[in-house]
Amino acid sequence: MITMEEEEIYKENILDHYRNPHNTGELQDYSIRHRELNPLCGDQIELFVKVEGCRCSDVKFCGKGCAISQAATSMLTDKIKNKNIDELKKITQEEVVNMLGIPVGIVRLKCALLPLKTLQKGIIKWEKGELCQTN
Ligand code: FES
């Protein structure tokens, strides 16, 4: 259980990431490219990951969404940079929600988990040998 003060700090952090998201843009030289949408609102995130030697050497994202989805994507892209693909596959939904720091309801959960879903589906495609998938 977090205090009201802590919740304010987490909310401020979410807004910071929303206003100034990290790792935005597109990679020209990517290994994984995948786009997912939140079916509840139609918002989309497209993720570009460069894999070098089984490690995520670079990542960028574009798309639109609410503060929660954009902040979660910004935070997730920070988290996965320079990590091994095997580590990325182990990232849990709980870890993503914990990064945000505040409790999210069922509707907002779809927003928060959109980047993780995009990443996981992109990795599956990459493992199957599909380098580029945009839909
Ligand atoms: Fe669309 Fe959150 S309302 S992703």
Side-chain angles (χ1 to χ4, degrees):
M1 192 69 187
I2 58 172
T3 65
M4 294 259 289
E5 201 172 291
E6 285 168 331
E7 188 165 327
E8 278 313 307
I9 292 168
Y10 282 122
K11 278 184 183 164
E12 203 47 53
N13 189 36
I14 288 169
L15 285 176
D16 270 357
H17 275 273
Y18 177 56
R19 291 184 189 125
N20 301 297
H22 305 175
N23 308 305
T24 53
E26 297 185 8
L27 287 180
Q28 296 307 314
D29 180 23
Y30 54 81
S31 313
I32 298 170
R33 178 182 185 179
H34 187 69
R35 185 167 62 205
E36 276 294 321
L37 90 153
N38 179 346
L40 295 182
C41 63
D43 289 339
Q44 298 188 7
I45 286 172
E46 187 165 18
L47 207 57
F48 301 78
V49 179
K50 174 74 181 164
V51 182
E52 287 181 287
C54 288
R55 185 180 59 91
C56 164
S57 60
D58 203 2
V59 55
K60 296 249 185 252
F61 79 96
C62 57
K64 70 174 184 77
C66 62
I68 295 283
S69 70
Q70 296 297 291
T73 311
S74 174
M75 290 176 194
L76 186 69
T77 53
D78 277 348
K79 183 181 171 72
I80 68 174
K81 217 181 254 187
N82 294 316
K83 294 254 169 53
N84 226 287
I85 294 296
D86 280 344
E87 289 177 76
L88 307 194
K89 285 159 67 178
K90 289 182 193 145
I91 298 172
T92 63
Q93 297 186 351
E94 194 182 6
E95 279 178 78
V96 176
V97 173
N98 286 344
M99 277 190 318
L100 291 168
I102 55 166
V104 286
I106 193 78
V107 172
R108 287 306 192 178
L109 196 57
K110 285 239 189 276
C111 307
L113 297 179
L114 185 58
L116 183 62
K117 185 176 164 192
T118 311
L119 176 66
Q120 289 173 335
K121 285 202 175 180
I123 291 174
I124 290 169
K125 294 281 176 189
W126 174 72
E127 287 181 325
K128 284 183 184 165
E130 295 174 38
L131 292 182
C132 171
Q133 196 263 348
T134 56
N135 279 306

